Amino acid sequence: MLKMNIRLNMIKRHKGSSIDSLQKWDITRRYKAFSHVLILSCLGLLASWAVFSTVVPGTDWHRMGGIQSMATTLARFLPPDINILPELVKPALETILIAVIGTIFGAVISLPIALLGAVNISPLGRLGYILARGLMTISRSIHEIIWALIFVSAVGLGSFAGILALAGRSIGFISKVISESIERIDGGPIEAISSVGGNKIHVILHGIFPQIMPITISTIIFEWDVNINRAAVLGLVGAGGLGLSFHNQFIASNFSGITTVLVVILFIILSGEAISAFLRKKLT
């Protein structure tokens, strides 16, 4: 009945059109419906293949037990162990500082890379553009945990490795957004500054930066928000912060303590999102 009503409504809308037009509309509609069914069927087959080829044979069903066993295991995580809260104050502050300093460090490095990677100005020409774009791609391609492992092996355990890891991970996103915003700027101010004898530094300071400042500030604040989340897990590989506390609770099999660490991480992330939204609203 519904399909018939739809067809009648479409015929009314095409009132006055030729029979051929209505037939073309009907064929197009059937083709789209067939395409949707075909795509969903392929996705369903792909998901089924993934489940039966990896999930089912790769799961320890004997250890998992039944629903009651799973419920008993999950119950060990409740309630949170509030006795360890004093121990989490310092790692929590360390996590926030790692995110702040890592983001600032990454943003400072990102600015010259963004200038080199903007095709409309690229001070060092094609070579500088390729180099900058390559650095952006490498930064984004490597996960923050991998960056942390690299810097832990280079500078040792601790928060400094976490700061370097977040800076390395942030460069790709910040510099890419800024370089693309530079490519979209109005060329009028640049031509005006150049016509009165301004050099490249004058062009950058007075012709480019004023135009990209809002998107730059917004991007850095957004990246800081994301880095709080990243900083919370870097301690798992020895880069300081709450991740190390999580690892210690896990090794000690203190499941209630694990829940407490997760609650503190959640609180920091939610606070970071609220502060990030407030700053973006006020500064941009």
Side-chain angles (χ1 to χ4, degrees):
M1 181 61 73
L2 178 62
K3 294 175 65 176
M4 184 180 295
N5 290 335
I6 293 174
R7 286 176 62 84
L8 289 173
N9 288 333
M10 292 305 300
I11 290 173
K12 289 178 181 177
R13 289 175 59 185
H14 288 77
K15 189 176 182 180
S17 301
S18 64
I19 298 298
D20 289 342
S21 298
L22 290 175
Q23 287 178 340
K24 288 181 180 178
W25 167 79
D26 194 41
I27 292 172
T28 302
R29 184 184 63 82
R30 290 174 183 271
Y31 175 77
K32 287 183 178 178
F34 175 75
S35 300
H36 292 163
V37 171
L38 183 62
I39 292 172
L40 290 175
S41 299
C42 290
L43 290 176
L45 289 174
L46 184 62
S48 300
W49 173 78
V51 169
F52 288 104
S53 64
T54 58
V55 177
V56 173
T59 303
D60 188 352
W61 299 101
H62 179 71
R63 180 176 180 178
M64 185 181 295
I67 296 177
Q68 185 176 0
S69 176
M70 292 173 62
T72 302
T73 302
L74 292 176
R76 296 177 183 173
F77 290 86
L78 296 174
D81 183 4
I82 60 174
N83 294 322
I84 68 167
L85 276 176
E87 303 173 15
L88 301 180
V89 173
K90 184 180 177 182
L93 292 174
E94 191 177 46
T95 297
I96 296 172
L97 289 177
I98 290 173
V100 171
I101 299 175
T103 305
I104 294 173
F105 195 22
V108 171
I109 300 174
S110 296
L111 288 175
I113 295 177
L115 291 170
L116 292 174
V119 69
N120 56 335
I121 62 168
S122 193
L124 297 182
R126 188 68 180 172
L127 179 61
Y129 175 80
I130 294 173
L131 177 63
R133 289 290 170 170
L135 290 174
M136 294 178 198
T137 303
I138 292 172
S139 170
R140 295 197 314 276
S141 301
I142 300 177
H143 195 274
E144 56 268 18
I145 294 294
I146 306 300
W147 278 117
L149 288 171
I150 293 172
F151 286 114
V152 164
S153 63
V155 301
L157 299 172
S159 56
F160 186 52
I163 291 171
L164 295 177
L166 291 185
R169 187 72 167 87
S170 300
I171 288 171
F173 177 73
I174 296 176
S175 57
K176 179 177 173 59
V177 173
I178 295 176
S179 65
E180 290 180 353
S181 66
I182 293 174
E183 292 173 350
R184 295 193 299 269
I185 62 175
D186 180 12
I190 296 176
E191 294 177 1
I193 295 172
S194 300
S195 65
V196 296
N199 56 30
K200 289 185 177 180
I201 295 178
H202 293 142
V203 168
I204 293 172
L205 292 179
H206 304 292
I208 297 176
F209 276 179
Q211 296 191 62
I212 65 169
M213 195 55 68
I215 187 66
T216 300
I217 293 174
S218 178
T219 302
I220 293 173
I221 293 173
F222 177 78
E223 188 68 7
W224 168 74
D225 183 8
V226 176
N227 277 343
I228 290 178
N229 193 349
R230 292 171 177 162
V233 299
L234 291 183
L236 292 173
V237 292
L242 283 168
L244 182 59
S245 301
F246 180 89
H247 179 72
N248 291 337
Q249 297 300 319
F250 184 79
I251 294 298
S253 298
N254 184 9
F255 299 104
S256 298
I258 292 173
T259 304
T260 307
V261 176
L262 292 177
V263 170
V264 173
I265 292 174
L266 178 63
F267 175 76
I268 292 176
I269 291 173
L270 291 177
S271 301
E273 288 183 358
I275 295 172
S276 172
F278 175 79
L279 291 177
R280 283 203 300 269
K281 184 177 179 181
K282 290 293 182 182
L283 299 178
T284 60

